[in-house]
């Protein structure tokens, strides 16, 4: 499944979604739906551009604890700060069953309105037993070519 998402506060909002034509498994995401930004590959990618340091992460989190949709979700200021730094280094983000058990995801920035600030993120999700996270990561160069960004 492919998504285009934008950041809205503490959530990502799904602006478009393309499901595979065949297969019995469908993700729960819906166009217009939301998920916690820190628990999705797309959200973490966009946060990496928005929150440049630990103080910014601390301010974004504030006094409201981060949700933990699965046991894999990074839900502390320290964990999120470390993850965002790694994303800035790599240029892409992953969700290793952090938003939905059994679902992996990779995300890349989409620069539709600015060459330096992403307008949103494109993510590719797959069921973990069928497409393990390393297989999704291997496809990042292909996804970059498809969306037209080398950033």
């Amino acid at each position: 499944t492919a998504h285009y998402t934008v950041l809205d506060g503490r959530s990502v909002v799904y602006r478009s979604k393309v499901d595979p034509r065949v297969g019995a498994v469908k993700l729960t995401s819906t166009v217009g739906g939301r998920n916690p930004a820190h628990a999705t590959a797309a959200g973490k990618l966009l946060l990496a551009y928005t929150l440049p340091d630990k103080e910014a992460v601390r301010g974004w989190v504030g006094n409201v604890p981060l949700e933990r949709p699965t046991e894999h979700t990074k839900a502390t200021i320290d964990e999120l700060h470390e993850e965002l730094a790694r994303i800035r280094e790599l240029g892409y983000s992953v969700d290793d069953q952090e938003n939905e058990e059994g679902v992996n995801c990779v995300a890349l920035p989409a620069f539709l309105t600015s060459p330096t600030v992403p307008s949103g993120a494109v993510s590719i999700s797959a069921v973990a037993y069928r497409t393990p996270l390393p297989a999704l990561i291997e496809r990042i160069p292909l996804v970059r070519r498809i969306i037209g960004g080398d950033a």
Side-chain angles (χ1 to χ4, degrees):
T1 300
H3 295 102
Y4 175 75
T5 60
V6 296
L7 188 61
D8 184 25
R10 290 172 67 111
S11 301
V12 289
V13 179
Y14 297 95
R15 294 292 172 100
S16 62
K17 176 181 179 180
V18 179
D19 279 316
R21 285 178 251 197
V22 295
V25 178
K26 301 286 186 215
L27 298 184
T28 60
S29 57
T30 59
V31 173
R34 295 173 173 266
N35 270 312
H38 70 282
T40 66
K44 290 187 294 181
L45 179 100
L46 295 170
L47 289 173
Y49 280 86
T50 308
L51 307 174
D53 54 39
K54 193 170 188 176
E55 286 310 307
V57 173
R58 188 181 319 281
W60 182 79
V61 171
N63 295 325
V64 180
L66 295 173
E67 293 178 54
R68 194 179 291 270
T70 76
E71 66 182 40
H72 308 285
T73 309
K74 293 163 182 64
T76 69
I77 290 169
D78 287 338
E79 289 173 325
L80 184 57
H81 167 65
E82 289 172 16
E83 180 77 355
L84 299 182
R86 187 187 66 76
I87 292 164
R88 284 188 291 274
E89 214 172 273
L90 296 172
Y92 67 86
S93 179
V94 301
D95 162 356
D96 188 5
Q97 301 184 58
E98 295 168 59
N99 189 51
E100 285 187 64
E101 286 288 343
V103 177
N104 293 323
C105 185
V106 297
L108 292 161
F111 297 99
L112 303 178
T113 57
S114 163
T116 57
V117 179
S119 57
V122 174
S123 64
I124 308 296
S125 302
V127 252
Y129 75 87
R130 190 180 257 170
T131 309
L133 187 57
L136 281 177
I137 292 170
E138 285 176 18
R139 293 181 175 109
I140 286 175
L142 173 62
V143 176
R144 272 200 176 109
R145 283 193 303 277
I146 290 170
I147 64 173
D150 294 318

